[in-house]
Amino acid sequence: MRRFKSPQKLVSYFGLNPRVRQSGLGAAHHGRISKVGRSHARAMLVEAAWAAAKAPGPLHAFFVRIRAKRGLQIAAVALARKLTVLCWHLLTKEEDYLWARPALVANKMRAMELQAGLPQRKGSRRGTTYAYNVKELRDQERQLAERSYEHLVENWKARRPRNTVRERLNPAGHD
């Protein structure tokens, strides 16, 4: 993963970056994704995006927001791109996913342990995956993740657009 200097390089590797058409100082026109790159990996990322869109959480909220503006297919590809950027950050910074649901992660980890051959735990003590089996706790965890993501999005401030090349070359506004 470290061979990609930025998440944009990884996005480009999979062909999930938008094509840009621009001539001289004219305005840039962003089009469809480039599809230059690993087509099989791109297809798998889009499939993962469809699965992430169905699961509750911040990725679902992102999908719903884009779907309302641009449509279903574009939202799926946008989520695939977001997943690619997210994977790059998680792997290069060696961090855990901030919005992970603890009970779900514990349940999946235990399932992998059992599949790898670790012995079952016998006894009356509840394990770490207990919370995942209680619907109220699972729903509470999901709602907490969604609310905290919505709170984060509400507090975003729109950035001023960057100066265009034309404005930098002609700061006084004279043509």
Side-chain angles (χ1 to χ4, degrees), residues 33-52:
I33 62 170
S34 67
K35 292 189 180 179
V36 176
R38 304 292 179 163
S39 60
H40 186 70
R42 183 173 53 253
M44 292 296 105
L45 281 164
V46 172
E47 286 298 319
W50 283 113

Side-chain angles (χ1 to χ4, degrees), residues 101 103-104 107 128-135 137-138 141:
R101 295 171 30 214
L104 179 62
N107 190 39
T128 55
T129 64
Y130 172 74
Y132 185 74
N133 295 320
V134 178
K135 184 169 177 12
L137 293 174
R138 199 170 55 231
E141 196 175 79

Side-chain angles (χ1 to χ4, degrees), residues 57-59 86-87 89-91 93-103 105 141-142 144-146 148-153 156:
L59 294 174
L86 178 65
C87 288
H89 282 287
L90 293 177
L91 293 173
K93 295 177 182 176
E94 298 177 4
E95 294 177 354
D96 290 334
Y97 182 52
L98 179 66
W99 308 102
R101 295 171 30 214
V105 172
E141 196 175 79
R142 177 184 52 79
L144 179 66
E146 287 180 351
S148 58
Y149 177 76
E150 288 169 0
H151 180 69
L152 174 77
V153 171
W156 278 346

Side-chain angles (χ1 to χ4, degrees), residues 66-115:
I66 300 299
R67 183 185 65 191
K69 293 179 190 173
R70 306 286 312 273
L72 200 63
Q73 299 295 326
I74 292 174
V77 173
L79 186 54
R81 184 185 184 288
K82 188 171 215 42
L83 283 173
T84 304
V85 172
L86 178 65
C87 288
W88 185 87
H89 282 287
L90 293 177
L91 293 173
T92 56
K93 295 177 182 176
E94 298 177 4
E95 294 177 354
D96 290 334
Y97 182 52
L98 179 66
W99 308 102
R101 295 171 30 214
L104 179 62
V105 172
N107 190 39
K108 288 183 177 186
M109 291 296 287
R110 185 61 187 146
M112 287 192 310
E113 288 173 357
L114 292 172
Q115 196 171 22

